[in-house]
C-alpha cells in the first residue's frame, strides 16, 4: 500500500467501504420497501407486512410473467450454450485461417446497443409476422447473450490441456470419441456457468420482449415496466427481492462450479 | 473448399454458428441500415440523415447523450480506480470483488428502480437530510439522478478490468521505486498509474460505449428533459411509427459506438476488454 499516514489510510478505507455502501443501497432499499405497509416508496417503513409477497404469488398475471421469463431464459440458455460450445471449441482447436476475425465478428453483439438490435429484430420479425412469438424473443436473446457465453466457455477451454486430446488420439480414439469422452466433460463447468450467465441476462432484459413480445408475451421485466408506468405499488419491490435472492443464489452456484473445476484441473 | 474442410474439420462446427448469426443477427441489422437510406418510393436518399443533422432538437439529444456518457465514464473511473486499488491490496479481496461482480448481474431495472426509493420524495436520502434541514426536495428526474443511476450500473465494467490489471502489477516494481528514493505519491503517479493504463482505457471504453445507448435508467429516473438517443429511437418506432428515421438514428448511434471502439483499440488490446483476466 502506498498510503502510509495512518489518518489518511483510515479515511481512505472509510471511503472505500462507502463505495460498497453505494453499491448496496438501492438493492437494500428495494428489499426494505418490499415489507413496507405503504404502497409508495416511503422511508422509514410505516409498518411491516408480507402483503406484497402474497399479492405477487397470488396474482395470475405476475405468475404468468414469471413463468414466461423462466421459459425464455431456459430456452435462451440452451440455444446459446449449444452454439457457443461449438464456436468456442472450433476457435480454440481449429487451425483454419481468419480465426481472430471470426472471434471478433462473433462477439460484436456485445457492443451493438440493445436498442439498435431490438428495433432491427422488430423490423425483421414484423416482416415475417412473427412478433408475439416466444421464439422471436428467444432468438433475440440468443444473439444478445451469445458473446458472454462464448467468452466464458473459451476461457474455460484454455484451461484444458491439449495434451489430453493428443493422448486420447494416440491411444486410438477417433476425433469424435475424443470430443465426447474427453473434451466435452472437461468443458461442462464452463458450459454451466455460461448457461447461467445467459439465463441471468435474458431474465433481466427488457427491450427485446418489449418490442418482439407483441401483446401476448409478457415477461417479468416488461410486467415490471408496465406496472411502474401504470398501476404502481410495492408488489414490484417484492418481485424484485425474490429475483435478487434467486439471482444471487445462481451466481454463487456458477462461482462454486467454476472453482471446483479449476481445483480438479490442478488449480488455475 | 472440400480440401479446406478436410484440413480443418473444426470448420464444420463453426459453420452452423455463422449461418445462425448471419440469418438472425447480421441480416436484420444490415436490412435496417439499408432501410435508413431508402426513400418513400424506393431508391437511395440521405433525407433521413439530413433530418437528424438539420434539426437542433435531434442534435441536442445526441450531444446530451455524449455529455451524460462522458460524466458517467469519468465518475465511474474516479470511484473505481481507488476502489480497485483498495480491493487488490485488501484482506477482503474476495468479498469486495464478489460484491462488485455480483451487483453486475442483479438486474438493470431493479437497480434503477431501487434508486427511485433512495432519491425519491419520501426516499432514504431525504430521510437523512431531514435530520439536518427541513428543506427536502426530490432528487429524481434530472441529470444527476441519471448519472448516479448509470454509474451504479456500469461501474463494475470499470472495476473488473482495473482489478485485472492492478493484480498483475508486481510489488517489486513499487519497492524498487521506493528504494531508489521516490516518494509514495511520485511512485504512484509515475509508476503505478502508467502500469495500470490499459485497465483505465479498457474500463473507460466499456463504460462509454454502453452508456451512450442506455435506455432503462434515463427512461425511468431521467424525466422529460433528459431524453437520450435510445429513448428517441423508441419514440420514433413505437409512437410515431417512423421506421426509416428510427433506422437512421440507430445507424448514427452505431457509428458513434464503432468510432469510439476503433479509437480505443489503437491504444488498448481489445482482448483485455472481454475475458482478459
Amino acid at each position: 500500500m502506498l498510503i502510509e499516514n495512518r489518518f489518511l489510510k483510515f479515511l481512505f478505507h472509510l471511503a472505500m467501504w462507502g463505495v460498497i455502501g453505494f453499491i448496496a443501497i438501492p438493492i437494500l432499499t428495494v428489499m426494505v420497501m418490499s415489507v413496507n405497509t405503504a404502497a409508495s416508496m416511503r422511508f422509514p417503513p410505516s409498518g411491516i407486512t408480507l402483503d406484497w409477497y402474497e399479492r405477487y404469488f397470488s396474482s395470475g398475471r405476475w405468475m404468468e410473467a414469471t413463468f414466461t421469463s423462466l421459459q425464455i431464459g431456459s430456452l435462451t440458455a440452451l440455444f446459446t450454450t449449444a452454439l457457443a460450445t461449438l464456436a468456442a471449441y472450433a476457435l480454440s482447436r481449429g487451425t483454419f485461417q481468419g480465426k481472430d476475425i471470426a472471434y471478433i465478428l462473433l462477439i460484436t453483439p456485445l457492443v451493438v446497443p440493445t436498442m439498435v438490435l431490438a428495433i432491427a429484430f422488430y423490423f425483421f420479425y414484423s416482416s415475417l409476422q412473427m412478433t408475439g412469438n416466444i421464439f422471436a424473443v428467444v432468438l433475440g436473446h440468443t444473439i444478445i447473450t451469445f458473446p458472454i457465453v462464448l467468452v466464458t466457455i473459451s476461457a474455460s477451454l484454455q484451461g484444458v490441456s491439449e495434451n489430453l486430446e493428443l493422448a486420447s488420439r494416440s491411444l486410438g480414439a477417433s476425433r469424435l470419441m475424443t470430443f465426447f469422452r474427453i473434451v466435452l466433460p472437461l468443458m461442462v463447468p464452463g458450459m454451466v456457468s455460461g448457461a447461467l450467465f445467459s439465463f441471468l441476462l435474458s431474465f433481466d432484459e427488457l427491450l427485446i420482449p418489449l418490442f418482439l413480445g407483441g401483446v401476448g408475451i409478457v415477461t417479468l421485466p416488461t410486467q415490471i415496466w408496465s406496472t411502474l408506468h401504470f398501476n404502481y405499488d410495492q408488489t414490484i419491490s417484492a418481485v424484485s427481492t425474490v429475483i435478487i435472492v434467486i439471482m444471487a443464489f445462481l451466481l454463487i452456484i456458477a462461482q462454486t462450479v467454476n472453482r471446483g473445476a479449476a481445483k480438479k484441473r490442478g488449480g488455475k | 473448399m472440400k480440401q479446406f474442410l478436410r484440413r480443418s474439420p473444426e470448420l464444420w462446427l463453426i459453420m452452423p454458428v455463422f449461418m445462425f448469426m448471419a440469418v438472425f443477427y447480421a441480416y436484420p441489422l444490415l436490412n435496417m441500415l439499408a432501410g435508413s437510406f431508402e426513400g418513400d418510393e424506393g431508391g437511395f436518399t440521405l433525407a433521413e440523415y439530413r433530418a437528424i443533422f438539420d434539426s437542433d432538437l435531434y442534435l441536442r439529444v445526441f450531444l446530451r447523450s455524449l455529455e451524460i456518457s462522458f460524466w458517467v465514464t469519468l465518475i465511474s473511473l474516479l470511484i473505481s480506480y481507488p476502489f480497485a486499488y483498495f480491493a487488490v491490496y485488501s484482506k477482503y479481496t474476495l468479498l469486495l470483488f464478489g460484491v462488485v461482480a455480483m451487483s453486475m448481474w442483479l438486474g438493470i431495472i431493479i437497480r434503477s428502480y431501487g434508486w427511485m426509493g433512495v432519491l425519491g420524495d419520501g426516499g432514504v436520502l431525504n430521510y437523512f437530510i431531514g435530520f439536518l434541514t427541513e428543506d427536502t426536495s426530490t432528487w429524481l428526474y434530472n441529470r444527476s439522478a441519471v448519472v448516479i443511476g448509470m454509474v451504479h450500473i456500469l461501474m463494475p465494467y470499470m472495476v473488473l478490468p482495473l482489478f485485472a490489471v492492478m493484480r498483475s502489477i508486481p510489488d517489486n516494481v513499487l519497492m524498487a521505486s521506493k528504494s531508489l528514493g521516490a516518494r509514495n505519491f511520485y511512485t504512484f503517479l509515475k509508476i503505478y498509474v502508467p502500469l495500470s493504463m490499459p485497465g483505465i482505457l479498457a474500463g473507460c471504453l466499456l463504460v462509454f460505449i454502453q452508456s451512450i445507448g442506455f435506455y432503462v435508467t434515463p427512461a425511468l429516473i431521467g424525466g422529460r428533459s433528459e431524453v437520450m438517443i435510445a429513448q428517441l429511437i423508441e419514440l420514433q418506432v413505437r409512437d410515431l411509427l417512423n421506421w426509416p428515421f428510427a433506422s437512421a438514428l440507430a445507424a448514427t448511434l452505431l457509428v458513434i459506438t464503432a468510432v469510439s471502439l476503433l479509437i480505443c483499440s489503437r491504444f488498448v488490446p481489445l482482448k483485455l476488454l472481454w475475458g482478459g483476466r
Side-chain angles (χ1 to χ4, degrees):
Chain A
M1 285 294 258
L2 292 168
I3 304 173
E4 270 160 14
N5 181 314
R6 286 185 69 180
F7 180 64
L8 281 180
K9 201 169 191 165
F10 172 74
L11 280 185
F12 180 66
H13 281 215
L14 201 65
M16 291 307 110
W17 288 105
V19 174
I20 290 286
F22 170 73
I23 293 172
I25 196 160
I27 297 163
L28 295 179
T29 305
V30 170
M31 290 179 160
V32 170
M33 293 305 167
S34 73
V35 292
N36 189 355
T37 41
S40 69
M41 282 190 140
R42 293 232 153 256
F43 189 86
S46 41
I48 294 207
T49 173
L50 288 176
D51 274 2
W52 307 116
Y53 288 92
E54 200 197 317
R55 262 192 218 205
Y56 168 44
F57 288 111
S58 62
S59 149
R61 187 177 277 191
W62 279 108
M63 281 296 111
E64 202 178 313
T66 309
F67 183 69
T68 309
S69 274
L70 288 173
Q71 207 178 1
I72 291 174
S74 321
L75 285 171
T76 303
L78 195 71
F79 282 15
T80 315
T81 310
L83 287 171
T85 305
L86 291 179
Y89 182 74
L91 288 173
S92 88
R93 298 296 191 256
T95 49
F96 52 91
Q97 277 185 339
K99 256 180 17 171
D100 288 347
I101 294 174
Y103 186 75
I104 288 174
L105 280 178
L106 288 177
I107 62 170
T108 52
L110 202 59
V111 293
V112 180
T114 314
M115 179 57 85
V116 174
L117 288 177
I119 67 163
F121 295 160
Y122 176 60
F123 298 160
F124 177 65
Y125 291 109
S126 295
S127 69
L128 297 174
Q129 316 216 310
M130 260 182 72
T131 55
N133 185 319
I134 195 167
F135 280 98
V137 180
V138 170
L139 289 172
H141 278 174
T142 304
I143 302 290
I144 288 186
T145 64
F146 181 82
I148 192 84
V149 182
L150 179 65
V151 167
T152 310
I153 298 181
S154 297
S156 82
L157 204 52
Q158 264 168 18
V160 177
S161 165
E162 227 166 316
N163 290 338
L164 292 174
E165 285 157 69
L166 294 177
S168 158
R169 298 266 291 148
S170 74
L171 290 170
S174 69
R175 256 177 201 279
L176 216 59
M177 188 158 169
T178 305
F179 181 76
F180 281 108
R181 301 289 293 272
I182 307 290
V183 183
L184 206 58
L186 287 168
M187 283 173 84
V188 164
M191 287 163 71
V192 170
S193 38
L196 277 172
F197 287 156
S198 164
F199 177 85
L200 288 174
L201 277 177
S202 157
F203 203 73
D204 178 52
E205 209 286 320
L206 169 73
L207 290 173
I208 298 287
L210 202 60
F211 276 94
L212 305 185
V215 279
I217 307 284
V218 178
T219 65
L220 270 183
T222 58
Q223 174 68 19
I224 292 178
W225 199 246
S226 65
T227 309
L228 272 172
H229 286 98
F230 299 115
N231 41 3
Y232 171 74
D233 65 35
Q234 291 307 314
T235 315
I236 299 181
S237 297
V239 177
S240 303
T241 307
V242 173
I243 296 176
I244 290 172
V245 171
I246 293 174
M247 283 196 167
F249 186 66
L250 288 180
L251 283 169
I252 290 169
I253 292 181
Q255 194 56 36
T256 322
V257 168
N258 252 349
R259 187 152 307 175
K263 261 194 196 140
K264 243 188 209 164
R265 287 197 303 259
K268 203 199 150 186
Chain B
M1 187 70 194
K2 234 180 188 166
Q3 205 182 3
F4 196 50
L5 278 174
R6 201 167 307 138
R7 210 174 327 141
S8 185
E10 285 84 2
L11 275 176
W12 284 115
L13 295 177
I14 205 161
M15 212 100 89
V17 181
F18 264 96
M19 268 164 2
F20 179 86
M21 290 306 240
V23 175
F24 295 107
Y25 169 58
Y27 174 74
L29 206 56
L30 294 174
N31 198 37
M32 182 197 75
L33 293 180
S36 73
F37 293 108
E38 207 171 295
D40 288 337
E41 288 100 39
F44 179 85
T45 171
L46 285 174
E48 307 296 346
Y49 291 91
R50 218 169 289 138
I52 297 177
F53 291 101
D54 278 351
S55 146
D56 250 12
L57 181 72
Y58 300 130
L59 276 185
R60 223 180 299 146
V61 174
F62 273 95
L63 221 58
R64 184 185 299 132
S65 307
L66 287 170
E67 251 173 66
I68 291 177
S69 307
F70 169 78
W71 285 114
V72 170
T73 311
L74 185 69
I75 295 172
S76 298
L77 178 65
L78 291 180
I79 299 178
S80 305
Y81 196 88
F83 182 78
Y85 179 84
F86 173 64
V88 168
Y89 297 103
S90 165
K91 271 181 290 188
Y92 308 104
T93 304
L94 204 65
L95 173 75
L96 294 165
F97 181 71
V99 167
V100 172
M102 205 175 236
S103 83
M104 188 158 108
W105 295 98
L106 284 186
I108 295 172
I109 306 177
I110 294 175
R111 282 186 287 157
S112 305
Y113 167 68
W115 282 108
M116 291 173 73
V118 178
L119 302 173
D121 272 335
V124 178
L125 184 63
N126 270 343
Y127 171 72
F128 287 108
I129 288 178
F131 289 120
L132 304 172
T133 156
E134 287 291 291
D135 161 45
T136 58
S137 59
T138 180
W139 304 89
L140 285 176
Y141 312 120
N142 56 37
R143 181 163 304 186
S144 336
V146 178
V147 172
I148 291 174
M150 284 172 67
V151 166
H152 186 260
I153 287 164
L154 295 174
M155 207 184 89
Y157 295 93
M158 185 74 85
V159 174
L160 297 184
L162 280 174
F163 188 83
V165 168
M166 284 180 180
R167 211 166 39 170
S168 69
I169 297 177
D171 288 343
N172 307 352
V173 183
L174 304 180
M175 280 194 249
S177 164
K178 268 191 192 176
S179 73
L180 291 171
R183 292 255 204 96
N184 277 339
F185 185 66
Y186 198 78
T187 304
F188 176 74
L189 218 60
K190 288 285 180 179
I191 310 286
Y192 204 82
V193 173
L195 281 175
S196 55
M197 202 42 102
I200 296 179
L201 287 171
C204 287
L205 179 66
L206 277 179
V207 171
F208 187 81
I209 58 176
Q210 287 190 81
S211 50
I212 193 89
F214 223 70
Y215 175 75
V216 171
T217 311
L220 206 55
I221 60 180
R224 290 265 164 255
S225 61
E226 295 299 329
V227 171
M228 286 177 71
I229 306 173
Q231 289 161 276
L232 191 60
I233 297 176
E234 194 234 358
L235 182 81
Q236 294 293 336
V237 176
R238 279 165 52 102
D239 296 344
L240 307 176
L241 305 175
N242 191 348
W243 290 14
F245 188 61
S247 306
L249 287 170
T252 315
L253 173 57
L254 210 51
V255 168
I256 295 177
T257 313
V259 168
S260 348
L261 203 61
L262 283 177
I263 294 176
C264 236
S265 67
R266 297 191 59 88
F267 302 106
V268 57
L270 285 181
K271 273 250 164 86
L272 189 70
L273 296 184
W274 300 290
R277 296 276 149 82

